[in-house]
Amino acid sequence: MQEKPVGNHSYTDFIFIGFPGFSEYKPYLFIPFFLMFLVAVVGNSVIIFVIKTQTSLHSPMYFLIFAIAIVDLSAPITFVPNMFLNLVLNLNGISLYGCLVQMFFVHLISSFESIILMMMALDRYVAICNPLRYNDYMNSSTFYKLSVAFLIRSGLLISAIVILAGSLSFCFSNVIEHFYCEHMALVGLACGETTKNSIMGLLTIFCIPGIDLLCICYSYINIFCAVLKSASGKARQKAVHTCGTHLIVILVTYLLALCSYLAYRIRNSMSPDVHILISILYLLFPCCFNPIIYGVRTKEIREHILKMVKGKKIDPENIKVASITR
């Protein structure tokens, strides 16, 4: 139960209330989310292990798949354990400091997904549109410089929204209708002016997923223009299939992000339970979907996994690196 604030009192401890309309069924809701979490952990661990141990997969494209698997393995760890404690044991308290720390890591790690998807699009753009310069552009030095630049960008912007959120006074309520400290869920409890928080939030959305999506669109428009001009039907089919795998992942990730964003804009006309479900799926579903789509559609990874399951030694000469076929 929340207590009524006295005077200028600001809450420093908060309570998570996830799925308020299904409070009596919380232990049962644990099952589907646990299965999703299990798929995410096992699937991404397998992808990481296969790419790390097979030297034939040590190329830029597989390095990016390796990176997205690490992100998809890390993202659920930032909030899912607390969600499980809430669902099963009804342990739902968190301090303001703990809430801000969780907010920072949830948003920082989720921003890496967008960054890696953009780098994947750039990788395919260079491979298809300028293949003769591929090794000059797509190398470890390039990835290192881009990674540092994007890490600084995300770190600064997300630090800004967390610091601004931490400076607010929370006197309306200490009940967060969510399972983790989402930025707008916490800011919505503030009793002061929150215009700066809203502006900073929109600026962060534009500068991270917004700019990344523009780069992705630019890359794939040029890719498809180059593919349509290709005289070889086989080369065209191969390029379309290669890009199709990435486009499926991009579509799922950004569609869920858009749904989560719109859910806050129309939250007054939407059930809190639906809003919470969309926000959780935005973070959790790609983490269990990505390793499946890459494991099934990427021939080299699929063959390595099947060989590993059967206990057979893989001959790297039989697998052509950096090509994705059906």
Side-chain angles (χ1 to χ4, degrees):
M1 292 289 293
Q2 74 181 67
E3 299 176 357
K4 292 288 184 182
V6 178
N8 294 323
H9 172 78
S10 178
Y11 289 110
T12 57
D13 294 287
F14 298 88
I15 300 170
F16 291 123
I17 303 295
F19 297 126
F22 297 90
S23 56
E24 64 272 24
Y25 301 109
K26 275 188 177 182
Y28 302 103
L29 294 174
F30 164 81
I31 298 173
F33 289 119
F34 175 76
L35 292 175
M36 292 179 69
F37 179 69
L38 187 64
V39 170
V41 171
V42 174
N44 288 295
S45 297
V46 170
I47 296 292
I48 291 168
F49 176 79
V50 168
I51 295 177
K52 183 176 177 60
T53 57
Q54 302 301 324
T55 55
S56 60
L57 300 181
H58 292 179
S59 64
M61 186 181 73
Y62 295 107
F63 169 77
L64 291 171
I65 294 176
F66 179 85
I68 206 168
I70 291 178
V71 170
D72 288 340
L73 183 62
S74 304
I77 297 174
T78 61
F79 75 97
V80 169
N82 284 346
M83 184 175 75
F84 287 165
L85 290 174
N86 190 330
L87 290 172
V88 178
L89 301 177
N90 203 32
L91 297 177
N92 53 10
I94 192 170
S95 66
L96 175 60
Y97 177 77
C99 185
L100 295 173
V101 170
Q102 185 187 56
M103 181 193 300
F104 176 80
F105 283 106
V106 166
H107 291 298
L108 181 68
I109 293 176
S110 63
S111 74
F112 291 163
E113 186 105 3
S114 176
I115 292 168
I116 297 170
L117 290 176
M118 181 192 65
M119 293 175 70
M120 283 182 167
L122 293 175
D123 176 77
R124 292 299 86 201
Y125 167 72
V126 176
I128 293 173
C129 298
N130 200 356
L132 297 179
R133 301 295 303 276
Y134 180 80
N135 291 329
D136 295 333
Y137 293 140
M138 307 309 292
N139 51 51
S140 57
S141 176
T142 301
F143 285 129
Y144 175 76
K145 292 174 182 176
L146 288 175
S147 298
V148 171
F150 291 135
L151 178 61
I152 292 173
R153 178 193 67 171
S154 296
L156 289 175
L157 288 169
I158 293 169
S159 294
I161 66 171
V162 171
I163 291 170
L164 286 174
S167 67
L168 296 172
S169 296
F170 304 96
C171 56
F172 282 154
S173 174
N174 68 336
V175 174
I176 300 175
E177 288 191 342
H178 220 307
F179 281 111
Y180 67 92
C181 278
E182 205 279 336
H183 175 240
M184 291 307 299
L186 179 65
V187 171
L189 303 179
C191 51
E193 179 61 47
T194 60
T195 302
K196 290 188 293 185
N197 302 80
S198 298
I199 293 173
M200 194 65 215
L202 290 173
L203 180 63
T204 301
I205 290 172
F206 173 76
C207 290
I208 301 180
I211 290 178
D212 293 348
L213 185 58
L214 288 175
C215 292
I216 290 170
C217 291
Y218 173 82
S219 297
Y220 278 105
I221 288 171
N222 283 277
I223 286 171
F224 285 117
C225 288
V227 167
L228 291 174
K229 294 177 183 178
S230 173
S232 171
K234 186 176 181 181
R236 184 182 303 148
Q237 182 181 3
K238 179 180 175 181
V240 169
H241 180 75
T242 301
C243 296
T245 301
H246 300 308
L247 285 173
I248 290 171
V249 173
I250 290 167
L251 180 64
V252 169
T253 301
Y254 280 97
L255 186 60
L256 287 171
L258 178 63
C259 290
S260 180
Y261 173 78
L262 292 177
Y264 272 105
R265 306 280 78 79
I266 60 172
R267 63 176 179 264
N268 293 331
S269 58
M270 178 182 290
S271 165
D273 298 315
V274 174
H275 178 206
I276 292 168
L277 179 62
I278 291 173
S279 296
I280 292 174
L281 290 179
Y282 157 61
L283 292 177
L284 189 56
F285 183 76
C287 298
C288 58
F289 175 78
N290 291 348
I292 294 174
I293 196 69
Y294 282 122
V296 171
R297 287 180 60 90
T298 309
K299 181 183 177 182
E300 290 76 15
I301 294 177
R302 183 176 69 243
E303 290 188 1
H304 279 297
I305 292 174
L306 291 175
K307 294 277 189 178
M308 184 177 67
V309 170
K310 295 176 181 178
K312 295 181 180 179
K313 187 176 180 181
I314 303 170
D315 182 6
E317 296 298 325
N318 294 331
I319 298 180
K320 188 176 180 181
V321 179
S323 65
I324 301 177
T325 58
R326 292 189 183 275

